[in-house]
């Protein structure tokens, strides 16, 4: 099958059924094993507030991907079609590249390195993939159409702000890379507990990682405001 | 579960050329800490999905969701701190991670801050998530006897002790930065937390029935009790 529509898993008022965790979910989690390992290495190499900043700025935006996949899988389902297989593949590829470029502070903050701009680019691509899926739900989702369209529209608006932060971070990292000097020492990646050829470059900047972290914080704050303050109470959300 | 696994990885996947007594103390203390944290984590979860914060109320659900991410990040920091402790415990650091000023007191202190801070955050998050699962009203009701309206002194005392443990472990790095000492203190604190959970099951349980002590029932209550029975008996006739 080339394409199948995304279907609403449960409708409002139905008896809740807990979705089962499948092998694909477990495989997805494996990427986070690598991510947490790389993030912990940032802190081992630099156990300071700067290290904490880079660890948070690289870990927390990735956690959003995990949460959003879980939220999507809890609400929607689709058949085993080619389009969604490639879509999933794209998502995993973006995640893998992001994890790969979680590097120590000295490398991420070095404007002559590509790690920071690649990481920021992956965050941008991930947001775009999520927004593409929301557009698909809006136009082709099967279920309670009004519910789906309202949800898709709101979540699209919600995703615009973190996308903006990640995009600015990427653009800034690219600008710094273009203006930065080329590295003197070839980059070597070593396994755990062996020497990392990290070095401190004078042209370092923390702004891109700050923007990545702010993108995450903004998204969480917006979601909290939406649910806590703007969600209609007393069951009125069911009046669609 | 992923983050607990990462903490274990941080302890196990490490190359230390010269293992000594300090290393083994830190290593086994670290493994024990993570195993006990795993037990504490699952002990703190609701037994049924319908008791979860996300099912109880939308505000509790979104709060839990955000807190869970902070909780996960704290575990990552804890794992990193364990790795630093183990590499620092080795007498010979050649071949280990070449961190910036690996043996400097500043780095040692910074790692200690990360360790105790992350453990404090983990304990705090677990307690807050428990309250989110139960709700503020239910949590408050467990501190007051439903029948006698008296404060559950033992339960409230337990709450204060749990808060004290969080403050203790979060500030431990202020006066101690030796990896072995911090690790052993972490083991003790997690064990203490488990003990608190056990005692909480006894003194802060929802199903606890406070039997009315006949000696403490006032005369007025006895009269009212008797009058209500008399009225019921007459209306039944």
């Amino acid at each position: 099958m080339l394409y199948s529509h995304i279907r609403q898993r449960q409708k409002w008022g139905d008896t809740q059924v807990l979705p089962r965790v499948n092998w694909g979910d477990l495989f997805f989690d494996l990427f986070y094993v690598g991510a947490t390992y790389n993030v912990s290495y940032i802190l081992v190499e630099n156990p300071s507030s700067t290290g904490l900043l880079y660890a948070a700025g690289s870990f927390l935006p990735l956690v959003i991907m995990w949460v959003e996949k879980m939220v999507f899988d809890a609400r929607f389902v689709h058949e085993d079609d080619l389009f969604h297989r490639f879509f999933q593949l794209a998502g995993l590829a973006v995640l893998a590249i992001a994890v790969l470029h979680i590097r120590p502070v000295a490398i991420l903050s070095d404007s002559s390195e590509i790690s920071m701009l690649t990481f920021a680019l992956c965050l941008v691509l991930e947001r775009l993939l999520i927004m593409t899926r929301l557009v698909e739900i809006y136009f082709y989702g099967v279920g309670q159409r009004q519910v789906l369209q309202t949800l898709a529209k709101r979540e699209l608006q919600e995703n615009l702000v973190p996308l903006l932060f990640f995009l600015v971070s990427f653009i800034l990292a690219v600008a710094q890379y273009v203006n930065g000097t080329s590295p003197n020492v070839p980059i070597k990646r070593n396994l755990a507990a062996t020497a990392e050829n990290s070095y401190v470059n004078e042209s370092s900047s923390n702004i891109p990682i700050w923007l990545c972290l702010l993108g995450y914080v903004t998204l969480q704050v917006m979601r909290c405001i939406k649910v806590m303050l703007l969600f209609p109470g007393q069951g009125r959300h069911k009046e669609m | 579960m992923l983050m607990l696994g990462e903490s274990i990885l941080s302890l196990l996947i490490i190359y230390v050329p010269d293992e000594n007594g300090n290393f083994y103390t830190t290593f086994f203390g670290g493994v024990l800490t993570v195993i006990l944290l795993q037990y504490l984590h699952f002990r703190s979860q609701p037994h049924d999905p319908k008791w979860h914060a996300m099912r109880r109320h939308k505000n509790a659900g979104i709060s839990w969701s955000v807190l869970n991410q902070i909780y996960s990040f704290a575990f990552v920091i804890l794992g990193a701190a364990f790795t630093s402790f183990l590499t620092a415990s080795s007498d010979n650091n050649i071949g280990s991670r070449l961190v910036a000023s690996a043996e400097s007191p500043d780095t040692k202190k910074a790692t200690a801050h990360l360790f105790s801070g992350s453990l404090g955050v983990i304990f705090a998050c677990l307690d807050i998530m428990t309250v989110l699962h139960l709700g503020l009203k239910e949590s408050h009701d467990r501190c007051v006897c439903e029948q006698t309206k008296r404060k559950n002194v033992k339960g409230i005392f337990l709450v204060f002790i749990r808060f004290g443990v969080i403050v203790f472990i979060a500030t431990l790095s202020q006066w101690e930065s030796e990896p072995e000492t911090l690790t052993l203190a972490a083991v003790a604190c997690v064990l203490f937390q488990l003990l608190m959970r056990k005692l909480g099951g006894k003194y802060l349980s929802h199903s606890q029935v406070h039997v009315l002590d006949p000696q403490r029932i006032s005369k007025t209550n006895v009269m009212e009790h008797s009058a209500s029975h008399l009225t019921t008996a007459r209306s039944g006739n």
Side-chain angles (χ1 to χ4, degrees):
Chain A
M1 184 186 307
L2 281 177
Y3 176 78
S4 71
H5 293 276
I6 290 178
R7 287 185 286 114
Q8 187 178 350
R9 194 186 277 271
Q10 288 186 321
K11 299 182 177 52
W12 284 109
D14 281 357
T15 306
Q16 285 210 340
V17 176
L18 283 179
R20 292 176 63 89
V21 174
N22 59 39
W23 292 110
D25 298 331
L26 296 175
F27 180 71
F28 181 76
D29 290 348
L30 284 177
F31 288 77
Y32 283 86
V33 174
T36 53
Y37 190 80
N38 284 349
V39 169
S40 73
Y41 188 37
I42 292 177
L43 288 167
V44 169
E45 191 267 345
N46 192 336
S48 65
S49 54
T50 308
L52 199 58
L53 165 68
Y54 275 84
S58 51
F59 179 72
L60 293 173
L62 289 189
V63 164
I64 298 179
M65 292 188 205
W66 190 92
V67 171
E68 285 179 342
K69 183 184 183 306
M70 181 193 68
V71 167
F72 175 82
D73 288 343
R75 296 181 298 178
F76 301 103
V77 71
H78 53 77
E79 304 298 328
D80 191 15
D81 60 286
L82 213 57
F83 173 78
H84 288 110
R85 278 280 183 188
F86 274 110
F87 197 87
Q88 193 181 19
L89 182 70
L92 288 173
V94 167
L95 176 61
I97 296 169
V99 169
L100 180 70
H101 287 91
I102 297 175
R103 305 295 302 278
V105 173
I107 296 174
L108 278 178
S109 63
D110 187 358
S111 54
S112 62
E113 298 284 346
I114 63 164
S115 288
M116 187 67 234
L117 76 91
T118 312
F119 182 75
L121 175 64
C122 289
L123 295 182
V124 169
L125 289 175
E126 178 256 334
R127 283 296 115 192
L128 289 174
L129 283 172
I130 287 171
M131 291 169 81
T132 306
R133 196 163 61 187
L134 288 168
V135 168
E136 186 193 348
I137 291 171
Y138 185 90
F139 286 110
Y140 303 110
V142 173
Q144 294 168 306
R145 289 292 303 156
Q146 194 175 3
V147 170
L148 294 178
Q149 287 178 337
T150 307
L151 177 136
K153 205 162 51 177
R154 285 183 186 163
E155 292 201 3
L156 272 169
Q157 291 164 357
E158 193 180 277
N159 276 286
L160 281 174
V161 176
L163 174 66
L164 193 65
F165 274 100
F166 297 150
L167 196 60
V168 171
S169 172
F170 168 65
I171 292 168
L172 206 61
V174 166
Q176 287 175 351
Y177 179 75
V178 165
N179 294 327
T181 56
S182 54
N184 295 322
V185 180
I187 298 146
K188 277 179 67 176
R189 181 183 291 272
N190 295 303
L191 291 178
T194 55
E196 171 83 42
N197 288 330
S198 59
Y199 54 92
V200 178
N201 191 300
E202 289 180 358
S203 58
S204 62
S205 169
N206 295 337
I207 297 174
I209 200 70
W210 267 115
L211 288 169
C212 291
L213 184 60
L214 283 172
Y216 163 82
V217 170
T218 312
L219 182 62
Q220 296 296 78
V221 167
M222 282 171 57
R223 282 186 175 160
C224 287
I225 290 172
K226 181 184 82 171
V227 172
M228 289 182 177
L229 302 176
L230 302 179
F231 201 79
Q234 296 160 357
R236 283 183 287 119
H237 63 280
K238 295 179 187 174
E239 296 168 10
M240 290 290 185
Chain B
M1 192 63 129
L2 269 175
M3 308 312 155
L4 282 162
E6 190 279 330
S7 301
I8 284 289
L9 278 179
S10 299
L11 286 160
L12 300 180
I13 302 181
I14 187 161
Y15 172 66
V16 178
D18 189 19
E19 298 161 7
N20 53 24
N22 288 339
F23 170 81
Y24 280 115
T25 305
T26 311
F27 174 76
F28 285 112
V31 171
L32 199 57
T33 303
V34 176
I35 292 171
L36 292 173
L37 277 173
Q38 172 268 136
Y39 184 55
L40 186 68
H41 167 79
F42 287 107
R43 189 104 170 54
S44 306
Q45 303 306 311
H47 294 293
D48 197 281
K50 67 184 176 197
W51 298 341
H52 200 280
M54 294 181 116
R55 286 274 187 102
R56 190 179 67 78
H57 195 275
K58 59 177 178 68
N59 291 353
I62 194 70
S63 304
W64 181 90
S65 178
V66 173
L67 212 59
N68 198 39
Q69 293 168 38
I70 298 169
Y71 175 64
S72 303
F73 186 51
F75 265 110
V76 175
I77 299 174
L78 186 72
F82 274 131
T83 304
S84 295
F85 282 170
L86 287 175
T87 50
S89 296
S90 168
D91 287 336
N92 184 4
N93 272 319
I94 295 171
S96 65
R97 290 179 198 265
L98 289 180
V99 300
S101 57
E103 294 300 304
S104 71
D106 288 341
T107 307
K108 204 174 178 182
K109 200 70 182 170
T111 309
H113 288 322
L114 283 179
F115 180 80
S116 57
S118 62
L119 207 48
V121 168
I122 286 169
F123 287 162
C125 285
L126 278 172
D127 284 345
I128 297 171
M129 286 195 284
T130 303
V131 172
L132 287 172
H133 290 314
L134 293 173
L136 280 173
K137 186 180 181 309
E138 169 72 23
S139 302
H140 173 264
D141 287 348
R142 291 185 180 205
C143 296
V144 177
C145 174
E146 195 179 322
Q147 293 181 345
T148 63
K149 302 298 179 193
R150 288 168 58 203
K151 284 197 176 23
N152 182 359
V153 175
K154 288 176 187 170
I156 293 171
F157 184 62
L158 276 178
V159 171
F160 276 109
I161 288 181
R162 275 165 77 156
F163 180 72
V165 168
I166 293 170
V167 172
F168 168 73
I169 197 66
T171 55
L172 185 60
S173 59
Q174 300 297 326
W175 59 81
E176 184 58 61
S177 57
E178 289 301 319
E180 305 80 40
T181 315
L182 285 170
T183 309
L184 291 174
V187 174
C189 284
V190 180
L191 276 171
F192 195 72
Q193 281 278 6
L194 286 166
L195 177 66
M196 290 296 105
R197 291 289 192 280
K198 191 77 182 167
L199 292 174
K202 187 180 176 188
Y203 295 110
L204 286 168
S205 169
H206 174 68
S207 59
Q208 189 177 11
V209 176
H210 298 268
V211 177
L212 286 173
D213 185 350
Q215 293 177 353
R216 295 186 184 186
I217 296 174
S218 66
K219 209 177 252 188
T220 312
N221 286 344
V222 172
M223 294 298 290
E224 283 174 356
H225 189 69
S226 305
S228 67
H229 266 275
L230 197 60
T231 309
T232 308
R234 280 181 182 172
S235 62
N237 292 336

